[in-house]
Amino acid sequence: MSQKAKNPAYPFSSGGWGSLKSVATILAQEKVPLKDSAILLKQNKPDGFMCVSCSWAKPANPHTFEFCESGAKATAWDTTKKRMTPAFFELHTVRSLLNWHDHDLEEAGRLTAPMRYDSASDKYVEVSWEQAFAEIGNELNQLDPRGVVFYTSGRASLETAYMYQLFARMYGCNNLPDSSNMCHESSSVGLKEAIGVGVGTITLEDFDKTDLMFFFGQNVGTNSPRMLHQLQDARKRGVPIVTFNPLREPGLVSFANPQSPVQMLTPAQTQISTQYHQVKTGGDTAAILGICKAVIEADDRAKSQGTARMIDVTFIEQHTVGFDEFAACARITEWNAIEQASGLTRAALTEAANEYMKAKAVMAHYGMGLTQHRLGVQNVRMLCNLLLLRGNVGKPGAGPSPIRGHSNVQGQRTVGITEKPELAPLDQLAEQFSFEPPRDKGMNTVEAFEAMVEGKVKAVFNLGGNLVRAVPDRSQIEPAWAGLRLTVNVATKLNRSHLVHGEVSYVLPCLSRIEYHRTPLGDQAVAMEDSTGCMHGSRGVTEPASEKARTEQFIVAGIAKATLGTRSTVEWDSWRDDYSVVRNEIAKTYPEIFHDFNERMWQPGGFHRPLPARERVWETKSGKAEFKAPESLGEDPDMPENAPNALRLMTLRSDSQFNTTIYNIEDRFRGVKDTRMVILMNKADIEKHALRDGDHVTLQTVADDGIDRRLPGLKVMAYDIPQGCIGGYYPECNVLLPLWHYAKESKVPAAKSIPVRIVR
Ligand SMILES: Nc1nc2c(c(=O)[nH]1)N[C@H]1C(S)=C(S)[C@@H](COP(=O)(O)OP(=O)(O)OC[C@H]3O[C@@H](n4cnc5c(=O)[nH]c(N)nc54)[C@H](O)[C@@H]3O)O[C@H]1N2
Ligand SMILES: Nc1nc2c(c(=O)[nH]1)N[C@H]1C(S)=C(S)[C@@H](COP(=O)(O)OP(=O)(O)OC[C@H]3O[C@@H](n4cnc5c(=O)[nH]c(N)nc54)[C@H](O)[C@@H]3O)O[C@H]1N2
Ligand SMILES: [Mo]
């Protein structure tokens, strides 16, 4: 139903006093002195550092407070005064640390010295950097490169990512999975097929020119809160926002700007969504098809009556293929099938379509609610179909807007982190660095774990991240991971992936980009790409966490040099000490995007990469933008709709976490306190299962692959969520997600539709 009511669990808007209080609490929790909290003012400023939380765009004219509650928490987490020194490791065996909660491990503070696992004492023991590099190089040289995986979590800078992919390729593999394999890979695949670029096409300027925004499956108030500024400004201009989300997320309902004193002192809030459709989880393909059907039928009527057309006929003729098949599919699909699959009424979808037909320039923002389904790529194609119908790609104020996760996840892909050889400029790299790069396809995240379970992977290098918690099927994954020969972890804080270690294992402490990167050649800056394809420079602003921690550049260069020796022509030491040299090499590899990189990165607002689809140049197979009819209305064909009492579980983030990093145990916006072990459930489902609010239950995955996946101890919480759908937290629920339950073309784990049942 389309409603404008509040979220009853959180009767206030997102932002506001609650947000300020939460920021103050975390600064105190992390013992960040008040004088140091001034560094928040340098967050996302042209001469400051780019936030380590989300990847939302950084404006040329930032607000004085260009940070949000989530960004402030992430900054406090990195600049904490707490330390995890070698003395800490002397006190605790790895076996005992395995019982610690994820929160407690990271809360113990920043890693300070390079550590090597010692099996005799079952402890991590300090080593020198030289020794670590030499041993890791020696280990790698004894392994077949095809069985070694080089993972990147999306925080590392453009410079580090470029060095890392080059190292992996010189070593001999394209096994370069990254966090986007679990995230927006469905966009990389779907957008590329539909419009010829694998990223969003909107820029910040488009917000001033749009006259309607769609929001599908993205929780802006928690996961990209700075974007609320742009939404609020657009709302002040009267721009409607039409949202599709199974949950009534406070940030999407209304926003009180905690940085605007007027709104803080008066109860004034900006209503964000003008229409709110609580679509069934996995119901977006049907919902979007419904909107398209209403538009196409209105257009059919207009055509026969000779009135103004509702689709952009000229755009479709000149710029697209596949319209007729798609329109035929929309026409023949029955409304009752759409209503059933989406959980929304024809009236509600027509209301959305009517708003769409009034608008001339439309953006569609989206997140994990679309990408993390078995047919996640189809969802992205459907979103493109919707936009293409009225020519909403390649004009001001319009376009698809995948809201990326990690702060540089998009950029890492831009500079060569990919397992797909066709996406990397291998010929150019071969020429630039005089080597023969491997040409065979590498493994993405799911493939790497499939191979690991089969015993074909021997080593994993983790440039950040916490894979054993982030990936599906924990009970299969942890034993496979523990059976590895080598695990190398470059990290700021200790996490479970370091504790479920390989036979030889290192934890190597790195600096965050918030800290000074001092080298013999002076302070170095790094660069990142935001969600809108814009590159920015970022300078450290605080003292390093420890004398012995090193930059990621130092660590990658050191291991590359130790491993490759004379096999590599790269002057790793000069790259380590002068990042502008690395940027010059990036510019050589990708001149169209990165020419004059060193100067342009300091332009206020950054510089944009060219995106052909913005100019209506379509780098697709057909050379046109491509419509595509959906193969099925349900996004999760293996969802046993008819299995008695099966429920569809979506795994969510709270407002107090960044992925597997848990800042604290509460979800203020959703009214969840004291535990993350909850399931959000519709009242009617609670009754149907003969349960009561507050009962504890066990969830079991519905799958007939012979593996019993269960999670006990979950507290039932009555919640405003469509019937048949339940919500739980990531990463706690990952034990329930089968490794094979992923999006067909992108292999993104289908974390938003896990078929489960309640057992007692
Ligand atoms: N503070 C904070 N910020 C973050 C992160 C974090 O953990 N904490 N993580 C970062 C990362 S890596 C990422 S990828 C992004 C993730 O940001 P989001 O894309 O917002 O991801 P989720 O938190 O998983 O939330 C997905 C939203 O989709 C809705 N949803 C679930 N299933 C469906 C569905 O079938 N259809 C629709 N329409 N909606 C659905 C949920 O109710 C929820 O509101 O955030 C980034 N920013
Ligand atoms: N069920 C379910 N599973 C999911 C998801 C979901 O919605 N549901 N979301 C998926 C998504 S979108 C993503 S992106 C993945 C995230 O998966 P990952 O990227 O693997 O996980 P993170 O939790 O972001 O990694 C946290 C760790 O990174 C390290 N770290 C932090 N900052 C730095 C730094 O600057 N440098 C280095 N080297 N290390 C650093 C710290 O040690 C910290 O413990 O999880 C995926 N898994
Ligand atoms: Mo992500």
Side-chain angles (χ1 to χ4, degrees):
M1 276 292 293
S2 153
Q3 299 166 29
K4 292 174 184 166
K6 284 186 178 299
N7 175 337
Y10 190 69
F12 313 103
S13 54
S14 74
W17 290 115
S19 188
L20 285 184
K21 187 167 158 240
S22 185
V23 169
T25 309
I26 188 122
L27 289 172
Q29 177 186 313
E30 296 312 309
K31 304 198 185 326
V32 178
L34 215 52
K35 70 172 176 47
D36 287 2
S37 66
I39 61 170
L40 287 173
L41 296 176
K42 298 197 178 158
Q43 198 149 324
N44 303 316
K45 295 291 170 57
D47 62 341
F49 68 99
M50 294 301 136
C51 182
V52 296
S53 186
C54 82
S55 58
W56 184 242
K58 285 86 185 165
N61 302 308
H63 294 75
T64 315
F65 303 99
E66 191 60 43
F67 64 89
C68 63
E69 174 179 344
S70 301
K73 284 179 182 167
T75 301
W77 203 247
D78 273 11
T79 55
T80 179
K81 295 295 166 224
K82 300 178 186 175
R83 296 291 177 267
M84 189 180 261
T85 62
F88 170 92
F89 288 99
E90 268 171 40
L91 288 176
H92 302 280
T93 61
V94 166
R95 186 182 296 265
S96 70
L97 289 171
L98 279 168
N99 297 322
W100 285 35
H101 189 278
D102 295 313
H103 165 82
D104 298 334
L105 287 173
E106 289 207 30
E107 172 66 16
R110 290 283 301 274
L111 292 159
T112 63
M115 309 296 292
R116 183 189 198 280
Y117 179 69
D118 172 52
S119 57
S121 60
D122 186 37
K123 287 177 182 167
Y124 272 100
V125 179
E126 185 173 354
V127 283
S128 69
W129 282 104
E130 298 70 36
Q131 197 187 342
F133 291 167
E135 281 184 47
I136 293 167
N138 188 33
E139 282 288 328
L140 286 174
N141 282 329
Q142 291 181 34
L143 294 169
D144 175 352
R146 285 166 301 184
V148 179
V149 172
F150 293 85
Y151 173 72
T152 326
S153 169
R155 248 184 222 196
S157 63
L158 291 170
E159 295 83 354
T160 308
Y162 181 79
M163 291 166 71
Y164 190 63
Q165 60 83 32
L166 189 62
F167 164 43
R169 295 197 160 104
M170 288 184 158
Y171 170 64
C173 70
N174 283 312
N175 295 334
L176 286 157
D178 78 345
S179 56
S180 100
N181 290 145
M182 297 176 272
C183 184
H184 265 294
E185 188 67 21
S186 302
S187 303
S188 308
V189 174
L191 292 175
K192 175 77 185 132
E193 287 170 358
I195 60 166
V197 291
V199 299
T201 65
I202 64 140
T203 66
L204 275 183
E205 294 77 57
D206 288 315
F207 280 83
D208 299 330
K209 298 177 184 137
T210 191
D211 48 25
L212 171 69
M213 291 188 231
F214 281 112
F215 243 97
F216 285 92
Q218 204 272 346
N219 187 9
V220 59
T222 295
N223 296 331
S224 52
R226 282 181 305 106
M227 185 186 183
L228 286 167
H229 290 304
Q230 281 79 37
L231 300 184
Q232 193 184 29
D233 291 346
R235 287 291 302 121
K236 282 187 188 149
R237 288 196 297 116
V239 174
I241 298 181
V242 175
T243 295
F244 290 80
N245 196 310
L247 305 182
R248 194 164 282 288
E249 304 282 27
L252 287 162
V253 173
S254 66
F255 174 48
N257 187 343
Q259 294 147 14
S260 149
V262 180
Q263 290 205 341
M264 291 298 288
L265 296 173
T266 60
Q269 295 171 357
T270 309
Q271 178 202 9
I272 295 292
S273 299
T274 49
Q275 286 185 27
Y276 209 115
H277 302 282
Q278 282 182 273
V279 63
K280 253 170 58 173
T281 317
D284 300 272
T285 281
I288 299 174
L289 191 66
I291 304 173
C292 293
K293 182 178 173 70
V295 173
I296 289 166
E297 288 178 353
D299 184 70
D300 289 343
R301 288 192 296 276
K303 195 173 168 188
S304 68
Q305 291 163 5
T307 54
R309 296 291 295 270
M310 289 299 154
I311 60 172
D312 188 337
V313 180
T314 323
F315 174 83
I316 292 174
E317 270 172 12
Q318 285 179 2
H319 288 286
T320 71
V321 295
F323 172 73
D324 291 339
E325 297 81 1
F326 175 70
C329 165
R331 288 189 192 100
I332 58 164
T333 308
E334 303 276 355
W335 274 110
N336 60 15
I338 291 174
E339 289 188 327
Q340 210 181 348
S342 66
L344 299 170
T345 62
R346 176 179 180 173
L349 293 170
T350 306
E351 195 187 338
N354 288 340
E355 198 75 273
Y356 184 46
M357 288 186 281
K358 279 194 260 164
K360 293 204 172 63
V362 180
M363 293 185 194
H365 308 292
Y366 69 96
M368 299 300 99
L370 288 196
T371 61
Q372 294 179 333
H373 289 283
R374 293 282 267 175
L375 296 185
V377 176
Q378 169 179 294
N379 276 340
V380 174
R381 297 297 302 264
M382 285 302 294
L383 188 99
C384 291
N385 291 335
L386 175 66
L387 291 172
L388 292 174
L389 265 191
R390 290 179 50 83
N392 279 309
V393 185
K395 72 180 180 195
S401 162
I403 302 174
R404 296 274 165 169
H406 272 294
S407 50
N408 194 35
V409 64
Q410 185 164 314
Q412 296 178 342
R413 285 315 187 89
T414 306
V415 297
I417 300 286
T418 173
E419 79 287 357
K420 294 177 183 162
E422 69 277 16
L423 296 185
L426 296 183
D427 292 338
Q428 171 62 33
L429 291 175
E431 196 192 310
Q432 203 171 328
F433 300 106
S434 316
F435 78 112
E436 193 36 60
R439 304 274 168 169
D440 48 335
K441 193 193 158 301
M443 293 183 267
N444 61 25
T445 302
V446 162
E447 289 160 355
F449 279 92
E450 285 169 343
M452 197 184 299
V453 171
E454 289 170 21
K456 293 183 188 150
V457 167
K458 302 292 179 211
V460 179
F461 193 125
N462 297 296
L463 187 59
N466 183 3
L467 271 177
V468 304
R469 292 301 266 147
V471 298
D473 248 342
R474 182 169 164 193
S475 57
Q476 327 304 312
I477 291 322
E478 288 201 354
W481 186 274
L484 292 169
R485 167 67 191 171
L486 174 70
T487 45
V488 180
N489 306 288
V490 179
T492 47
K493 293 201 174 175
L494 189 72
N495 65 45
R496 189 166 179 94
S497 301
H498 312 150
L499 299 172
V500 185
H501 55 84
E503 201 177 331
V504 177
S505 181
Y506 288 86
V507 176
L508 305 175
C510 69
L511 300 184
S512 138
R513 89 175 75 100
I514 306 178
E515 292 155 299
Y516 297 119
H517 282 206
R518 292 194 177 112
T519 76
L521 298 177
D523 280 1
Q524 302 296 312
V526 297
M528 348 274 314
E529 174 176 346
D530 71 28
S531 228
T532 62
C534 203
M535 315 293 165
H536 307 265
S538 173
R539 283 188 224 280
V541 296
T542 60
E543 285 301 317
S546 109
E547 266 182 14
K548 288 182 187 161
R550 291 289 180 270
T551 63
E552 291 176 322
Q553 290 79 350
F554 180 99
I555 300 169
V556 173
I559 296 176
K561 195 175 156 187
T563 310
L564 301 170
T566 54
R567 278 184 283 159
S568 159
T569 55
V570 173
E571 293 192 22
W572 295 104
D573 291 349
S574 84
W575 289 26
R576 174 194 69 194
D577 293 341
D578 184 352
Y579 303 174
S580 70
V581 176
V582 186
R583 286 189 288 271
N584 286 336
E585 297 295 341
I586 297 176
K588 247 187 242 168
T589 311
Y590 304 93
E592 280 183 19
I593 304 175
F594 290 107
H595 65 88
D596 306 305
F597 193 1
N598 283 308
E599 297 80 56
R600 290 197 300 154
M601 67 192 263
W602 297 114
Q603 230 164 265
F607 67 87
H608 281 289
R609 61 190 269 190
L611 292 169
R614 269 184 80 78
E615 318 303 326
R616 297 200 164 168
V617 172
W618 316 103
E619 296 187 344
T620 58
K621 275 198 191 130
S622 62
K624 303 260 178 147
E626 299 190 5
F627 281 96
K628 189 177 182 198
E631 67 181 66
S632 122
L633 276 190
E635 288 153 32
D636 299 277
D638 59 348
M639 185 71 212
E641 299 288 354
N642 301 322
N645 294 330
L647 293 159
R648 190 188 282 263
L649 168 70
M650 61 167 148
T651 55
L652 298 162
R653 295 163 165 77
S654 77
D655 82 313
S656 298
Q657 77 183 86
F658 191 91
N659 297 338
T660 67
T661 296
I662 312 296
Y663 301 130
N664 56 53
I665 314 288
E666 77 160 355
D667 191 351
R668 179 161 56 88
F669 290 151
R670 299 199 185 101
V672 181
K673 293 197 186 79
D674 306 326
T675 175
R676 292 171 51 88
M677 293 294 285
V678 296
I679 50 172
L680 311 179
M681 199 167 178
N682 185 293
K683 274 202 179 106
D685 283 330
I686 295 182
E687 276 165 32
K688 188 172 142 195
H689 287 83
L691 293 166
R692 276 174 315 194
D693 195 11
D695 278 356
H696 283 82
V697 296
T698 296
L699 285 185
Q700 181 187 36
T701 308
V702 182
D704 50 12
D705 60 356
I707 300 176
D708 188 10
R709 299 175 182 84
R710 283 171 194 250
L711 185 60
L714 291 159
K715 187 168 141 191
V716 173
M717 183 169 155
Y719 206 79
D720 180 8
I721 181 171
Q723 253 179 281
C725 308
I726 58 174
Y729 288 111
Y730 144 65
E732 286 80 352
C733 290
N734 284 34
V735 64
L736 295 166
L737 176 54
L739 188 57
W740 47 262
H741 187 73
Y742 52 69
K744 252 199 334 186
E745 297 104 325
S746 64
K747 299 217 167 163
V748 170
K752 296 294 184 268
S753 267
I754 312 173
V756 292
R757 67 166 77 88
I758 289 175
V759 291
R760 284 164 207 265

